[in-house]
Amino acid sequence: AENRRTWVYRMGSTICTYAGNVVRQSFTEVVVTQDETTMARQQTDVVITPRVVAVLVEFPNFPQSLWEKQEAEIIFAWTVTDRTGRPVWERTEGGVRRIAAGSLLTRAKLNRTAMQQALDQAFRKIRDLLVASPEIRTLAISQG
């Protein structure tokens, strides 16, 4: 019989904060909402939607975990649409972090650390891609 443990980490508010920060790197006026239907689409130039695709944590079983590493991966799909709803830019990117798996006593804290670092990496990657995107630059010029 397998011995499975379950950890629950609430990430919604962190993801919303990170997503807002990423978008503010590329656009001057940003409204963050959890329900895009509440926004009047004709009053916005673009709608940016991050979607969680997967959250994966793999770690070795005790006692191997004392010398092996665990891996956390968080993958997001990002879609940018113009004011008519036409897709302008889409990317699926993630962040991966490998850290010590730890013992049964430290594993939950190390899981949180690995997920936070994977989340940081995923958002840094998407921020850099969004800022450098020719599609976004072209859209900004055409809307400006």
Side-chain angles (χ1 to χ4, degrees), residues 39-143:
M39 295 172 39
R41 188 176 280 281
Q42 65 273 15
Q43 294 179 359
T44 62
D45 293 327
V46 295
V47 174
I48 302 172
T49 308
R51 184 174 53 86
V52 177
V53 175
V55 177
L56 309 166
V57 178
E58 295 181 16
F59 52 85
N61 288 323
F62 186 79
Q64 294 91 340
S65 62
L66 294 174
W67 59 85
E68 293 185 24
K69 292 191 178 279
Q70 68 174 340
E71 182 173 284
E73 181 174 12
I74 299 177
I75 302 169
F76 290 89
W78 290 77
T79 305
V80 178
T81 57
D82 66 12
R83 63 175 59 143
T84 68
R86 180 182 60 87
V88 174
W89 188 82
E90 296 176 304
R91 293 293 184 279
T92 299
E93 287 293 330
V96 177
R97 194 64 176 166
R98 289 180 57 82
I99 67 171
S103 68
L104 293 174
L105 297 176
T106 62
R107 182 164 287 168
K109 181 179 179 186
L110 290 169
N111 284 350
R112 252 191 322 277
T113 299
M115 284 196 298
Q116 184 66 53
Q117 291 174 354
L119 192 61
D120 291 345
Q121 183 186 45
F123 276 100
R124 274 195 307 274
K125 285 168 66 175
I126 206 69
R127 178 201 61 209
D128 293 346
L129 289 168
L130 189 62
V131 168
S133 166
E135 298 94 338
I136 299 300
R137 288 185 186 159
T138 300
L139 180 66
I141 292 167
S142 70
Q143 303 277 329

